[in-house]
Amino acid sequence: MIGILVAEHLPLVRRGLVASLQCEADLKVVSDVGSGEEVVPSALEHGPEVAVVDLDLPGVDGFAAALRLHGDVPGCRVLLLSRHPNPGQVRRAFAVHALGFMSLDVAPEQLADGVRRVAAGRRAVDSELAVAALEAAENPLTRRELDVLRLAAQGARSNEIADQLFLSVGTVRNHMSRIMCKTHARNRLDAVRIASDSGWL
């Protein structure tokens, strides 16, 4: 019997995941939580073999929860779920030591098979997404450019970014110009989208 922790903030979706997994004779949901903050404490209490975690958890997101589990509950392997999967997310999932990565649109039997694979220490990733992740371009942005772009993604203007990073406004604008050139973006918002989809932010 494989013990599973389900982490999903939408109650209806969480109940659906729990019900789907409980239908399998060899799977048992030992805990379900609605936030990223609850993942590690619940895993420590219930000792699941696999955590099925939604990326879009409020507060502590799925990536952060997976990384915390790896550090604090290494015996619990992670399968991440995404509503809008892309190659960048796959790369980030591997970076936080998740073994599985699937779309929330997968069939119940695919999810169950993914849980079994992850419990056995094998990867469970859609083959097309895995290939796309391997083919995705490496991050061309410097650490400082990423700092600038992360603040821009939060809606900060050039003068606000300059204040937070102790730079001049001109330097921030130069960074943004290089970012747009490297990402082949049309504008700042496009650069944020491209970097997010590629898993660089």
Side-chain angles (χ1 to χ4, degrees), residues 45-122:
E45 179 180 353
H46 298 283
E49 282 80 30
V50 177
V52 176
V53 182
D54 184 1
L55 280 185
D56 295 326
L57 294 174
V60 175
D61 68 11
F63 291 123
L67 194 58
R68 290 183 182 183
L69 279 171
H70 179 73
D72 297 344
V73 197
C76 180
R77 297 180 170 113
V78 179
L79 189 158
L80 292 171
L81 297 176
S82 173
R83 282 172 180 74
H84 306 289
N86 62 57
Q89 290 178 346
V90 178
R91 291 162 67 98
R92 287 187 66 190
F94 290 166
V96 297
H97 309 286
L99 283 180
F101 183 90
M102 293 185 164
S103 167
L104 265 169
D105 292 334
V106 297
E109 56 271 20
Q110 288 178 283
L111 177 61
D113 184 58
V115 168
R116 294 184 187 102
R117 290 179 62 83
V118 168
R122 304 198 304 272

Side-chain angles (χ1 to χ4, degrees), residues 116-198:
R116 294 184 187 102
R117 290 179 62 83
V118 168
R122 304 198 304 272
R123 291 209 184 276
V125 183
D126 176 87
S127 57
E128 289 185 12
L129 269 177
V131 170
L134 289 171
E135 293 177 345
E138 291 295 325
N139 182 1
L141 304 178
T142 66
R143 182 175 297 178
R144 180 55 91 187
E145 288 165 352
L146 286 171
D147 290 340
V148 169
L149 197 57
R150 284 192 187 99
L151 290 172
Q154 296 168 17
R157 299 182 180 186
S158 293
N159 61 324
E160 295 169 331
I161 296 172
D163 288 343
Q164 291 191 51
L165 297 179
F166 304 102
L167 301 171
S168 70
V169 174
T171 299
V172 170
R173 288 177 179 152
N174 287 340
H175 280 311
M176 285 305 308
S177 294
R178 284 195 291 273
I179 289 167
M180 286 187 281
C181 181
K182 289 179 178 181
T183 59
H184 307 290
R186 297 184 302 275
N187 52 44
R188 181 181 295 204
L189 288 177
D190 195 33
V192 169
R193 178 191 62 77
I194 291 168
S196 295
D197 288 350
S198 298

Side-chain angles (χ1 to χ4, degrees), residues 1-4 19-29 112 116:
M1 185 70 71
I2 299 170
I4 304 164
S20 172
L21 292 167
Q22 293 279 49
C23 286
E24 302 291 326
D26 60 333
L27 306 181
K28 180 181 180 181
V29 177
R116 294 184 187 102

